[in-house]
Amino acid sequence: GAVVSQHPSWVICKSGTSVKIECRSLDFQATTMFWYRQFPKQSLMLMATSNEGSKATYEQGVEKDKFLINHASLTLSTLTVTSAHPEDSSFYICSASTSGSYEQYFGPGTRLTVT
Amino acid sequence: EDQVTQSPEALRLQEGESSSLNCSYTVSGLRGLFWYRQDPGKGPEFLFTLYSAGEEKEKERLKATLTKKESFLHITAPKPEDSATYLCAVQAQGDYKLSFGAGTTVTVRA
């Protein structure tokens, strides 16, 4: 149980374009989802927290207009990187938790490369 | 602000050579300390959650312990398949956010 998927697993896009990453909880209802970014040989840095049906809460230094997060249902959250630039190239990982639980279940990650 | 420091940064072991990884933390009221395993290009895989000082948990060749200031992940008689980056994270009381350490990359040679 507690499986989280991400799609796509990797994506290459051109500078200036937007790209959407999906995060799905497959066998449970995810009331809260988290988006992390991980640069090579570095740890996970939390970007934002989203609760189903509410606006996401962004960490300090994360541009909310650049990283659009939508958590429209209890099984799906999306992260859209708008007007992507090469410095946005990174490994994006989502996690999900259920109501009343502090445990987070992580997805397999999405490798974004902006050329 | 919560802080998590892991050491060493990298650890190279011979198969069967037991060792320990350290995770030092500061947090305003610990709710839980988490250990994850991460393989290259993949998301973290949950290993353990520890909630209070003195608690210990085991899974196969791994054993996690917790004190008020640090946690240890002991790897007993490691095998090459134990090669991975091990991440430590803390969660403060009343908060859902995880603060991660930088990880320890373990390489086990046959």
Side-chain angles (χ1 to χ4, degrees), chain B residues 69-86:
Chain B
K69 294 184 178 180
E70 56 191 351
S71 176
F72 292 93
L73 183 66
H74 308 278
I75 309 178
T76 302
K79 297 181 178 181
E81 52 261 43
D82 295 323
S83 297
T85 296
Y86 291 86

Side-chain angles (χ1 to χ4, degrees), chain A residues 79-97:
Chain A
L79 167 68
T80 302
V81 183
T82 62
S83 186
H85 289 96
E87 56 265 31
D88 298 323
S89 298
S90 187
F91 193 49
Y92 291 88
I93 307 172
C94 73
S95 70
S97 64

